[in-house]
Amino acid sequence: MNELRKDFLWGNSTSSMQTEGAYNEGGKGKSVYDIRKATDDASDWKVAIDEYHRYPEDIKLMKDMGMNCYRFQISWSRVNPEGDGDFNEEGIKFYNDLIDELLANDIQPMICLYHFDMPLHLAEKYNGFVSQHVVDAFIRYGKEMLKRFGNKVKYWITFNEQNLYSVPEAFKISGYKGDNSIRDLYQIQQHVFLCHAAIANEVHENYPNTQIGGMLAYQEVYPATALPTDVAATRKFLEFADNNLIRLFTEGKYSDEVVHYMKLNQLDDILDPKEMEIISHTKSDFISFSYYSTSTIDSTLIPINTCPNFYSIEGHKPNPYLLTNEWDWQIDPLGFRTVLTTISNETHLPLFPIENGIGVSEKWDGQNPINDDYRIKYHRDHIQAMKDAVSIDGVNVMGYLGWGLIDIPSSQGNMEKRYGMVYVNRGNHDLRDMKRVPKKSFNWFKEVIKSNGNIL
């Protein structure tokens, strides 16, 4: 018997800056990524995999594989060059054409509104999401995108990996340039959730056939040992990094423990009553998340008086029981099942893992498909773990999207860290011909999709 639902969504997930290129075409304004320069082991962001010009070719590959869902990101600065000024009709037409091409190939589009690429103007002038001006600009942008695409696109998320705005990564991804204070971290967290709430409420008030979900990078961590302080530190970090956001996504309320911490540290004035009224109406139709690996926390490494949001950095310790890839990401399929079941028990909502994959250095000989059995094993083990969560634990899973299943530069711009089942023939500093070449995993995943997960 097949454990997965008949309308299961199989597909690919990407961001705009890692795919589109065309950084100065079609009326696009600059984002914070567009001014980043290449380094010895990373590309710049000007071309990516040239999806702006090649999307029909890549959609055909998705169709050939059997995918029925593609989660992509709208580049805020492509449709609204300054972030807070006039909208760019040429940029909007690009996404309209992309959506129509997906629908014509029976692939459901899923839109993400923000994946770390703040319009440069908003970052430089207003300091990103720490600013109320940027909050207002994002809400205006999100509502305009709903107006343009809300009746065509069924599935939406606002922020990629939204809980990263609750940990130090927030300072890198929110358009912020400041002193990295705890107050600014909590202000960014509040503002980003306010933006999500405003757009989610707009969907539920005006787009009855559209679904919107929360999205987080589930920070699954284990105690490094059975030492009670390791267990306690791990529990506390999970409350601040995961559970707080899940409660906001589902109940429109902060965790009691987080609110108490804010009061003790004179941060509770951030919880503006008018903003909390908007947040209180938040609902989610599903919870989506990324999952790649797990980590551990050693409490003895955490300095006294460290903010709980920093525990996973200060207390990080490799897990000796897990294999790692060359970037020290630890491979843990059982952790994937644990995350699915944990979130399901907490929320009672459909779950949608929309990023999963493994980055590996790969070289193409120019002729033969890459034999990526390691990637097949990674996805096979994780899909089996997902099926166990469904059949044994009773989790309601909507679909499974691999990350960057057509090679894209990594989040740090490294084209040689490849997640794809299709090789893209370019390097960090040599664009070559960017030919798309299916790997061995392409045909394997094609059979998985065709069998709706029965054949692994």
Side-chain angles (χ1 to χ4, degrees):
M1 185 182 79
N2 197 335
E3 299 94 337
L4 303 180
R5 47 202 263 183
K6 291 180 180 178
D7 61 349
F8 200 79
L9 296 167
W10 295 97
N12 186 21
S13 202
T14 62
S15 75
S16 63
M17 69 278 190
Q18 291 168 276
T19 54
E20 288 177 9
Y23 77 106
N24 61 352
E25 296 183 46
K28 183 184 181 298
K30 287 184 179 179
S31 82
V32 293
Y33 277 80
D34 293 327
I35 62 170
R36 296 184 183 180
K37 299 184 184 302
T39 64
D40 289 345
D41 57 1
S43 171
D44 62 28
W45 300 89
K46 295 179 178 179
V47 178
I49 61 166
D50 195 29
E51 192 80 5
Y52 186 81
H53 299 107
R54 297 175 185 241
Y55 71 83
E57 176 185 358
D58 288 345
I59 290 174
K60 184 178 185 302
L61 283 164
M62 296 179 211
K63 175 74 169 179
D64 289 348
M65 194 188 274
M67 293 182 190
N68 60 2
C69 186
Y70 177 47
R71 170 247 172 150
F72 65 92
Q73 178 219 345
I74 292 176
S75 168
W76 187 353
S77 59
R78 187 174 295 285
V79 298
N80 190 199
E82 296 289 291
D84 58 358
D86 294 337
F87 285 94
N88 172 32
E89 293 301 326
E90 191 172 353
I92 291 171
K93 182 180 184 301
F94 166 73
Y95 293 109
N96 193 60
D97 292 347
L98 172 65
I99 290 165
D100 285 348
E101 186 78 9
L102 289 165
L103 293 172
N105 284 275
D106 300 315
I107 298 172
Q108 284 287 335
M110 180 183 197
I111 285 178
C112 172
L113 290 172
Y114 186 82
H115 194 126
F116 315 152
D117 61 338
M118 172 72 60
L120 184 62
H121 166 72
L122 295 182
E124 290 184 337
K125 186 171 182 179
Y126 298 102
N127 206 16
F129 279 110
V130 80
S131 162
Q132 182 64 50
H133 179 91
V134 175
V135 170
D136 295 340
F138 179 88
I139 293 170
R140 174 175 174 262
Y141 150 65
K143 287 183 177 180
E144 184 69 20
M145 294 305 97
L146 281 169
K147 189 186 301 181
R148 302 299 186 111
F149 308 127
N151 293 319
K152 278 188 181 183
V153 177
K154 183 177 180 180
Y155 302 106
W156 292 69
I157 56 174
T158 51
F159 292 88
N160 180 68
E161 299 179 329
Q162 192 170 331
N163 60 326
L164 297 187
Y165 299 93
S166 306
V167 297
E169 186 73 14
F171 299 125
K172 300 178 184 177
I173 62 178
S174 63
Y176 171 86
K177 293 178 179 66
D179 62 1
N180 293 9
S181 68
I182 299 299
R183 169 166 285 276
D184 281 351
L185 176 66
Y186 274 78
Q187 185 65 75
I188 291 167
Q189 173 182 251
Q190 168 74 358
H191 276 168
V192 168
F193 198 83
L194 176 62
C195 289
H196 169 83
I199 300 304
N201 294 348
E202 178 77 7
V203 168
H204 291 129
E205 288 167 11
N206 297 306
Y207 298 88
N209 298 317
T210 299
Q211 294 185 26
I212 188 165
M215 198 275 190
L216 69 163
Y218 198 93
Q219 303 275 298
E220 181 62 71
V221 293
Y222 306 125
T225 70
L227 187 69
T229 54
D230 285 0
V231 176
T234 301
R235 186 213 60 77
K236 197 170 192 73
F237 173 74
L238 288 171
E239 185 65 19
F240 280 65
D242 293 339
N243 299 341
N244 180 54
L245 185 60
I246 288 172
R247 187 172 186 192
L248 283 162
F249 281 146
T250 55
E251 299 178 45
K253 297 178 181 177
Y254 274 75
S255 154
D256 294 346
E257 186 175 0
V258 172
V259 171
H260 187 67
Y261 175 85
M262 294 177 74
K263 288 178 179 177
L264 289 176
N265 290 276
Q266 293 78 51
L267 300 170
D268 53 311
D269 58 299
I270 288 170
L271 304 178
D272 179 87
K274 291 181 180 178
E275 295 178 355
M276 294 310 298
E277 173 62 21
I278 295 169
I279 287 170
S280 71
H281 297 289
T282 309
K283 295 185 297 182
S284 294
D285 299 302
F286 57 88
I287 299 294
S288 59
F289 65 96
S290 63
Y291 179 89
Y292 296 95
S293 62
T294 55
S295 61
T296 65
I297 287 180
D298 180 344
S299 62
T300 67
L301 301 176
I302 301 173
I304 294 173
N305 296 326
T306 295
C307 175
N309 306 65
F310 289 69
Y311 281 6
S312 69
I313 292 177
E314 298 291 348
H316 173 73
K317 191 173 186 178
N319 190 330
Y321 301 104
L322 297 176
L323 296 174
T324 66
N325 73 354
E326 58 200 284
W327 285 274
D328 295 326
W329 290 34
Q330 302 206 271
I331 301 168
D332 186 3
L334 182 57
F336 186 38
R337 175 181 167 187
T338 299
V339 169
L340 284 160
T341 306
T342 298
I343 301 176
S344 176
N345 288 340
E346 290 174 351
T347 67
H348 314 290
L349 288 172
L351 302 188
F352 198 171
I354 61 173
E355 290 184 26
N356 182 233
I358 183 170
V360 181
S361 294
E362 293 172 320
K363 300 295 182 184
W364 181 47
D365 65 9
Q367 183 176 358
N368 300 298
I370 291 172
N371 185 355
D372 57 340
D373 285 332
Y374 41 82
R375 182 169 290 106
I376 293 172
K377 175 173 172 50
Y378 179 95
H379 284 282
R380 176 187 287 128
D381 291 348
H382 283 75
I383 293 170
Q384 184 59 59
M386 175 181 68
K387 290 172 64 177
D388 290 344
V390 172
S391 63
I392 300 172
D393 304 335
V395 180
N396 179 6
V397 181
M398 295 169 58
Y400 174 87
L401 306 186
W403 173 252
L405 296 185
I406 298 170
D407 280 348
I408 57 178
S410 75
S411 60
Q412 303 304 311
N414 186 358
M415 193 66 208
E416 304 302 347
K417 184 182 183 182
R418 297 177 182 269
Y419 288 83
M421 296 179 179
V422 175
Y423 183 85
V424 175
N425 187 33
R426 67 152 291 184
N428 281 328
H429 309 115
D430 181 2
L431 295 177
R432 302 197 281 268
D433 61 3
M434 286 195 278
K435 182 178 180 180
R436 275 61 165 157
V437 184
K439 305 173 189 178
K440 183 178 179 181
S441 57
F442 180 96
N443 289 319
W444 170 80
F445 198 46
K446 184 174 183 176
E447 289 302 310
V448 172
I449 295 172
K450 185 178 179 180
S451 70
N452 199 29
N454 266 341
I455 299 173
L456 297 179

